[in-house]
Amino acid sequence: MTKIARSTLLLATAGMALSACQGGGVLGRDRPDEFAVQRQAPLVVPPDYDLEPPQPGAPRPAEGTASQQALDALFGGPQARSAIESDALARAGSADAGIRSNVGDPDTFTVDKGESTTAIIAAPEGDGQAAKAGIVG
């Protein structure tokens, strides 16, 4: 073989070898999404064998959601309270069970702002066309 034929054959072989390195086309392959993979909990034998089977598609109650697992991994879950926070909560005491209902009750007066505020709150609703302004002296 001549030098030109050998170098042409070598260049053609190198070109075919390099063309096989490119992705896509006929030689491309489908890869799994590495971000869609999530860790599976180990199998555990339940202590009670009379349990009902889970509903199809329902999340596993022991695992939580994938987003909750990610938040726990990033931020470490709930943290212990500091001494100052624990002392403030102890001094605050506990609220009555129905406190939100009592505060939202219209008959409960939580703050007394005086007669002017009471008059404004008790004023009938309207578009403001009959409103008058005056200077109290």
Side-chain angles (χ1 to χ4, degrees):
M1 266 185 156
T2 65
K3 271 186 163 178
I4 296 175
R6 266 192 239 151
S7 57
T8 306
L9 182 62
L10 182 63
L11 283 174
T13 306
M16 285 191 296
L18 286 176
S19 69
C21 293
Q22 77 178 17
V26 177
L27 299 175
R29 53 179 201 194
D30 294 329
R31 294 178 182 93
D33 185 10
E34 64 269 11
F35 297 108
V37 177
Q38 88 179 41
R39 176 183 273 169
Q40 295 295 325
L43 295 176
V44 178
V45 176
D48 186 9
Y49 294 104
D50 295 332
L51 295 175
E52 296 179 12
Q55 298 295 326
R60 295 175 66 164
E63 277 186 13
T65 61
S67 61
Q68 185 61 40
Q69 287 178 357
L71 288 173
D72 288 343
L74 287 173
F75 302 112
Q79 300 295 320
R81 291 193 168 122
S82 66
I84 295 172
E85 186 179 4
S86 299
D87 184 46
L89 289 173
R91 288 184 184 196
S94 61
D96 294 334
I99 189 67
R100 291 183 181 179
S101 299
N102 292 342
V103 171
D105 187 15
D107 293 332
T108 302
F109 297 104
T110 55
V111 177
D112 185 13
K113 292 285 187 176
E115 294 178 15
S116 300
T117 305
T118 307
I120 291 171
I121 293 173
E125 292 184 26
D127 58 1
Q129 294 298 322
K132 295 181 183 177
I135 298 174
V136 178

